[in-house]
């Protein structure tokens, strides 16, 4: 049962309208691309994929102190078919390169890549035949995170940069 409340007087209605409270719901206008990109940018699902010491910092970003849940990324997916963000954290060897490429190919569109740390970005201190000098040789990288190892704050900053990039995309569908 509800509680009966008195009917507002005309003076109270006039005061509400003067404050801009008319009771109408209003209309929100936006392009479809803007609405979809807003949803995509606030629910980025990363893939659990760590190769070296940078993976410890990636895991730390999920802890309560840094709270990656603010970005809608609190659940690291274990399957590439459920993820749309690949965070390559650590050095990539020549043996691991085909595996990373296969995992990237299994991800659904749209998909993004963050190269976390110096090893993933440019090979780091490992300038030899066994380590790929930057994951951008095999995958298109959207955001680079510098540092050896980078702090969790750097990964969160990279996520904000990725969100800006996703929101600025012009057309829906497959990236070029």
């Amino acid at each position: 049962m509800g509680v009966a409340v008195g009917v507002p007087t005309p003076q109270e209605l006039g005061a509400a309208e003067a404050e801009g409270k008319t009771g109408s719901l209003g209309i929100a206008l936006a392009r479809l691309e803007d609405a979809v990109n807003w949803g995509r940018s606030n629910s980025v699902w990363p893939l659990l994929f760590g190769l070296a010491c940078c993976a410890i910092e990636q895991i730390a970003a999920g802890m309560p102190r840094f709270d990656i849940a603010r970005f809608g990324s609190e659940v690291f997916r274990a399957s590439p078919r459920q993820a749309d963000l690949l965070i390559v954290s650590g050095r990539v060897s020549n043996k691991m390169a085909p595996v990373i490429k296969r995992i990237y190919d299994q991800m659904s569109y749209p998909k993004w890549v963050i190269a976390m740390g110096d090893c993933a970005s440019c090979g780091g201190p490992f300038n030899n035949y066994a380590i790929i000098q930057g994951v951008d040789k095999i995958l298109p990288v959207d955001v680079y995170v510098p540092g050896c190892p980078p702090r969790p704050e750097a990964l969160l900053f990279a996520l904000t940069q990725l969100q800006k990039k996703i929101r600025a995309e012009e057309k829906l569908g497959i990236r070029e």
Side-chain angles (χ1 to χ4, degrees):
M1 295 297 223
V3 177
V5 179
V7 178
T9 64
Q11 292 83 13
E12 292 173 342
L13 289 176
E17 287 181 4
E19 293 177 15
K21 299 177 181 178
T22 61
S24 65
L25 296 177
I27 298 173
L29 298 176
R31 295 183 324 171
L32 177 64
E33 289 86 3
D34 293 338
V36 170
N37 288 339
W38 176 83
R40 284 179 178 167
S41 69
N42 289 318
S43 63
V44 177
W45 292 355
L47 180 68
L48 182 62
F49 190 78
L51 293 171
C53 49
C54 293
I56 303 300
E57 301 296 324
Q58 178 182 346
I59 293 167
M63 296 295 114
R65 180 175 181 182
F66 301 104
D67 193 22
I68 202 169
R70 293 176 287 170
F71 303 96
S73 304
E74 66 271 11
V75 180
F76 283 87
R77 306 294 171 177
S79 169
R81 291 174 180 87
Q82 296 176 349
D84 54 5
L85 171 63
L86 176 62
I87 302 175
V88 180
S89 55
R91 58 189 176 272
V92 180
S93 65
N94 285 326
K95 286 186 176 183
M96 199 61 172
V99 176
I100 293 175
K101 180 67 174 153
R102 185 179 325 123
I103 288 173
Y104 178 79
D105 290 339
Q106 289 177 353
M107 292 171 62
S108 61
Y109 287 101
K111 52 189 170 184
W112 300 280
V113 176
I114 291 179
M116 183 175 176
D118 289 343
C119 294
S121 298
C122 62
F126 306 102
N127 190 10
N128 60 27
Y129 65 93
I131 303 297
I132 293 179
Q133 301 301 307
V135 75
D136 57 349
K137 304 279 192 275
I138 56 174
L139 300 176
V141 176
D142 295 300
V143 180
Y144 294 91
V145 182
C148 183
R151 298 268 311 144
E153 294 94 346
L155 179 59
L156 298 181
F157 181 72
L159 279 173
T160 59
Q161 296 301 105
L162 184 64
Q163 283 180 333
K164 289 178 186 176
K165 185 173 184 172
I166 293 170
R167 288 183 188 136
E169 287 185 0
E170 289 295 322
K171 60 181 183 177
L172 300 177
I174 299 173
R175 295 183 324 157
E176 294 177 0

